[in-house]
Amino acid sequence: MKHYTSINDIDNINTWIEEAKALKTNPLKYTALGKNKTIGLLFFNSSLRTRLSTQKAALNLGMNPIVMNVSGDAWGIEFGDGTVMNGSTAEHIKEAAAVVSQYCDIIAVRAFPTLTDKVKDESEEVLNAFKKYASVPIVNMESATGHPLQGLTDAITISEHAKVAKPKVVLSWAPHIKALPHAVANSFVQAMQKMDVEFVIANPEGYNLNSEITGDTPILHNQNEAFKDADFVYTKNWSSYDDYGKILNTDPDWMITKEKLGTAKFMHCLPVRRNVIVEDAVLDTDSSLVIQQANNRTYAAQLVLKKILENLN
């Protein structure tokens, strides 16, 4: 594997999950693999878990991480071809990606969508520009349309905590005060479609995700109906896809409560707004797996980097 930019880069998710679990039991087993190798973590947007877990994953493999907040610390980067650069951007991606490739053996990139221009966002301008102009492998630390490190993490977490052979997993929309991207939800959908689970999506009218991603996954507009007999409820807000980037609904009745959840386990990628997305009575009990998920971020990233390093060596 050269790049990891999508859940679809995973050839066999069950094999990957078992490999990640094995890494978790002995995180420092492969420290020689990344010796004298450098990873550049480039953040165009803010991060807590992704930044720290990917950096720790690299250290566990013996790598040297370099972290840069591109939007605040670097020259403004131009991504358009043939652009007359007489505006706010001072450096073109053609030079920037080539230069960073000389310093790093792997480049990991985090760049959010505009949520105003669907065509631009779905072109994955930033991520694909690095893939095009860098000469080293690229890892997606969340892009305009996907968060494959989180999606792999979630698959690992469900596998660890499943009590039945084929658990029922629900992805549920919940209200939020801001318009949020579709990336986490998209990658979770793709991950669940690769697993042997009963998978359902619950969201209000007007909030269906990209049908090219959801495919034939059942989509219900009644949250209580979707939650019936659920083993896992994964909750995430996303803005409208059809009316792109808009907030059409802030119905507080879609918030996750202990009563709705029943015996299911609650999952969320974090950060989560308490008593907006989910009530305290869920997060502060054993029903919540959010901390376990966050821990698994390291081993998902470590597995991805391990596979890339093995291809390099």
Side-chain angles (χ1 to χ4, degrees):
M1 185 179 74
K2 181 174 182 181
H3 304 293
Y4 184 72
T5 57
S6 165
I7 286 289
N8 293 326
D9 291 324
I10 297 174
D11 51 4
N12 185 316
I13 199 164
N14 294 319
T15 300
W16 280 48
I17 289 169
E18 293 309 311
E19 288 186 52
K21 290 179 182 178
L23 278 176
K24 191 172 180 180
T25 63
N26 189 0
L28 302 181
K29 182 177 180 179
Y30 298 98
T31 52
L33 189 60
K35 185 178 180 180
N36 298 325
K37 295 287 194 298
T38 299
I39 182 170
L41 308 180
L42 306 184
F43 290 90
F44 289 81
N45 297 96
S46 57
S47 175
L48 189 151
R49 277 148 296 277
T50 299
R51 176 170 177 165
L52 296 179
S53 62
T54 309
Q55 188 168 351
K56 182 177 180 181
L59 291 168
N60 283 351
L61 291 168
M63 299 188 76
N64 301 306
I66 299 174
V67 183
M68 187 171 195
N69 297 317
V70 180
S71 57
D73 297 338
W75 300 109
I77 298 178
E78 175 62 48
F79 290 90
D81 286 334
T83 304
V84 178
M85 291 174 56
N86 58 0
S88 60
T89 54
E91 181 159 22
H92 201 279
I93 185 60
K94 292 181 180 180
E95 289 77 49
V99 167
V100 177
S101 298
Q102 294 179 319
Y103 305 150
C104 302
D105 299 283
I106 300 173
I107 299 173
V109 180
R110 183 176 177 93
F112 291 173
T114 66
L115 286 182
T116 57
D117 187 332
K118 184 190 287 189
V119 173
K120 181 178 181 180
D121 289 345
E122 293 191 332
S123 75
E124 290 287 10
E125 180 183 59
V126 176
L127 187 67
N128 284 331
F130 274 96
K131 285 180 70 175
K132 182 176 181 179
Y133 296 116
S135 58
V136 299
I138 302 299
V139 174
N140 180 356
M141 297 192 296
E142 189 173 356
S143 65
T145 66
H147 196 345
L149 290 177
Q150 182 67 54
L152 177 56
T153 296
D154 300 330
I156 295 165
T157 306
I158 287 173
S159 175
E160 285 182 324
H161 293 273
K163 303 297 185 185
V164 296
K166 187 173 183 176
K168 180 177 179 180
V169 180
V170 182
L171 170 63
S172 178
W173 181 94
H176 200 285
I177 63 170
K178 295 170 59 179
L180 295 185
H182 309 92
V184 169
N186 287 343
S187 289
F188 185 73
V189 170
Q190 292 171 323
M192 293 304 100
Q193 289 169 342
K194 289 178 174 288
M195 295 181 70
D196 186 20
V197 298
E198 179 186 349
F199 182 49
V200 176
I201 301 172
N203 57 254
E205 297 278 357
Y207 277 98
N208 285 6
L209 293 163
N210 183 351
S211 61
E212 292 185 8
I213 292 175
T214 57
D216 59 3
T217 298
I219 299 171
L220 302 180
H221 301 306
N222 183 312
Q223 193 181 45
N224 290 325
E225 180 183 349
F227 283 14
K228 185 179 179 182
D229 299 323
D231 296 291
F232 298 91
V233 171
Y234 192 104
T235 306
K236 185 73 178 76
N237 175 269
W238 57 86
S239 54
S240 176
Y241 177 77
D242 290 333
D243 196 355
Y244 193 64
K246 298 295 191 298
I247 298 176
L248 308 178
N249 189 328
T250 57
D251 186 356
D253 288 341
W254 278 79
M255 181 180 73
I256 307 302
T257 66
K258 184 70 173 172
E259 181 181 3
K260 287 183 193 176
L261 192 66
T263 59
K265 293 293 187 180
F266 175 80
M267 299 177 66
H268 191 282
C269 62
L270 301 181
V272 64
R273 290 181 181 250
R274 284 174 173 256
N275 304 307
V276 176
I277 294 282
V278 56
E279 66 177 4
D280 289 341
V282 172
L283 284 173
D284 294 334
T285 68
D286 291 340
S287 296
S288 175
L289 295 179
V290 298
I291 303 304
Q292 293 91 327
Q293 279 177 269
N295 185 45
N296 281 337
R297 288 298 308 275
T298 296
Y299 308 107
Q302 190 170 339
L303 177 61
V304 168
L305 297 181
K306 176 178 176 287
K307 288 182 175 290
I308 292 174
L309 287 168
E310 287 170 339
N311 191 56
L312 289 178
N313 291 334

